[in-house]
Amino acid sequence: MSDDEELQMEAGSAAPVESIDSPDLAEILRDLSRPQKRLPTRLLYDEEGSRLFERICETGDYYVTRTELSILRENLPDIAAFAGPGAGVIEPGAGCGCKTRELLSALEDPRWYAPLDIDPSVLWRCRQTMSQVLPRLPLVPVCADFTRPWRYARLPLAERRLLFFPGSTIGNFEPHEAQALLRQFQQATGASGRMILGVDLRKSAATLRRAYDDSEGITARFNLNLLVRLNREHAADFDIAAFEHVAVYDKTRHRIEMHLRSRREQQVRIGGRSFRFAAGETIHTESSHKYLPDGMAQLAVGAGWQAWKLWMDPQRRFALMGFEAARWRQP
């Protein structure tokens, strides 16, 4: 039996979840050795980090989730028509899958749903929820870091593959990294592939700072949890109380940045190395670039996509963009 045949599933069943390696200590040490200390953004999403991010999405200050959901709901028929019948849906960084449930319910005869997430507990919850909401839809959960090579060739057959990448995750990457990721997505969907991409648009610095440093302090807990994870998984000795969460807007690069700032001069040990922190020195943990629709379209064109659809809220805070693989369009 071929790999594809093995992964073909009966309604309501699920394929085995792939495993991934633990976070790369060498990468962590390298990033902490930079003049501007940093840590990989993906490390924010352990089980507790994923839970806290879901809470961030529910805060009044974080406009992204509710704005995107309103765009999706108001345009579902058009979005479903763009996706076309018989699609297999891939969602990198699936999380809770709340937006995806609405999309899948509106699609015509979806073949299967493949949620990808770095956190196995998130995939388990997603699988349980989807099996209740859409019990006849085959699920192919994949536990993987979607920024690295994963076995997309083993996904089941479908008329086409639709990649759904909502939220503002594409903004977490430097533009050249975002383009490389979009190119990888195009390879995963193939010559007839389509993509629906969530893009956070440029807006006032004050609005962005509130969204990334909410009044309830949940984003601060989310960011500081990264140090808790390093202490637990790599025997580091970060004093959590000696760091604080800060969000700053870089107007030149059109991005909001999250940092962990040292409250005092201190030494931290991890992986047999010692790192000195001056008072006020920061660890850069995340960036979120904000785009204009034309800018994102140009970025995607360079990755093998062709912009085809644009859905926005009336205030132009957020956009869902529909792309087709460039080779799919006839000249």
Side-chain angles (χ1 to χ4, degrees):
M1 182 179 290
S2 70
D3 287 343
D4 279 341
E5 288 171 335
E6 287 180 23
L7 285 173
Q8 295 291 346
M9 298 171 294
E10 297 298 330
S13 66
V17 176
E18 292 186 10
S19 61
I20 56 172
D21 295 330
S22 60
D24 189 341
L25 179 59
E27 181 183 9
I28 292 168
L29 298 178
R30 184 171 62 249
D31 282 353
L32 287 175
S33 301
R34 299 176 186 272
Q36 167 60 73
K37 293 180 175 67
R38 59 186 304 117
L39 284 167
T41 296
R42 68 180 186 278
L43 298 189
L44 291 164
Y45 296 93
D46 63 352
E47 183 173 0
E48 176 65 5
S50 298
R51 185 187 70 82
L52 287 169
F53 183 72
E54 289 179 13
R55 289 191 60 192
I56 290 169
C57 293
E58 297 169 355
T59 64
D61 292 321
Y62 193 75
Y63 59 87
V64 172
T65 303
R66 63 177 178 273
T67 304
E68 185 176 34
L69 265 174
S70 70
I71 297 170
L72 182 64
R73 288 168 176 165
E74 291 172 9
N75 297 279
L76 262 179
D78 194 31
I79 292 172
F82 169 76
V89 180
I90 305 169
E91 184 181 10
C96 66
C98 57
K99 302 163 192 168
T100 319
R101 293 197 295 270
E102 304 215 17
L103 174 65
L104 290 169
S105 297
L107 294 182
E108 180 182 348
D109 190 26
R111 291 292 190 261
W112 42 262
Y113 170 52
L116 279 74
D117 204 279
I118 199 169
D119 180 5
S121 68
V122 168
L123 282 175
W124 179 253
R125 293 200 303 273
C126 179
R127 181 163 60 182
Q128 287 182 312
T129 300
M130 287 297 181
S131 64
Q132 293 173 1
V133 177
L134 297 165
R136 297 188 60 81
L137 180 68
L139 301 178
V140 192
V142 181
C143 189
D145 176 1
F146 65 79
T147 67
R148 296 179 175 182
W150 55 279
R151 294 186 293 174
Y152 54 77
R154 298 190 63 204
L155 293 174
L157 300 175
E159 276 76 356
R160 70 181 56 81
R161 292 179 179 180
L162 170 70
L163 191 136
F164 186 46
F165 199 46
S168 56
T169 307
I170 193 64
N172 293 152
F173 300 88
E174 295 295 326
H176 71 280
E177 296 171 335
Q179 188 171 68
L181 183 63
L182 294 176
R183 186 175 297 112
Q184 178 180 311
F185 288 170
Q186 199 280 318
Q187 293 168 353
T189 59
S192 62
R194 299 182 187 182
M195 175 174 66
I196 298 172
L197 179 68
V199 182
D200 199 12
L201 303 178
R202 294 179 188 174
K203 54 186 65 66
S204 74
T207 299
L208 291 171
R209 280 193 292 267
R210 284 196 303 271
Y212 288 83
D213 192 7
D214 64 278
S215 57
E216 299 177 52
I218 300 172
T219 309
R221 291 169 56 191
F222 170 68
N223 204 8
L224 287 163
N225 180 65
L226 194 159
L227 303 184
V228 175
R229 180 179 186 178
L230 294 185
N231 285 352
R232 181 182 67 248
E233 297 184 7
H234 294 291
D237 63 356
F238 283 96
D239 178 357
I240 310 303
F243 288 85
E244 61 183 345
H245 164 74
V246 291
V248 296
Y249 182 66
D250 185 333
K251 63 181 181 181
T252 302
R253 297 181 179 179
H254 300 288
R255 72 184 191 186
I256 191 84
E257 298 177 356
M258 292 201 323
H259 291 254
L260 291 168
R261 183 166 60 198
S262 179
R263 296 177 182 269
R264 56 176 170 81
E265 186 174 341
Q266 56 182 307
Q267 294 272 128
V268 174
R269 291 192 61 80
I270 178 173
R273 297 272 302 277
S274 180
F275 295 93
R276 178 185 175 276
F277 287 83
E281 188 176 0
T282 70
I283 308 172
H284 185 183
T285 58
E286 183 181 73
S287 293
S288 187
H289 294 78
K290 309 305 173 185
Y291 286 92
L292 298 175
D294 285 350
M296 179 52 67
Q298 291 174 11
L299 203 68
V301 165
W305 294 100
Q306 176 171 307
W308 194 244
K309 285 284 189 176
L310 174 64
W311 303 277
M312 292 189 295
D313 63 294
Q315 291 76 36
R316 299 176 64 91
R317 292 170 297 182
F318 197 89
L320 283 173
M321 300 184 69
F323 294 90
E324 297 175 344
R327 291 190 300 273
W328 189 83
R329 299 290 298 171
Q330 296 298 319

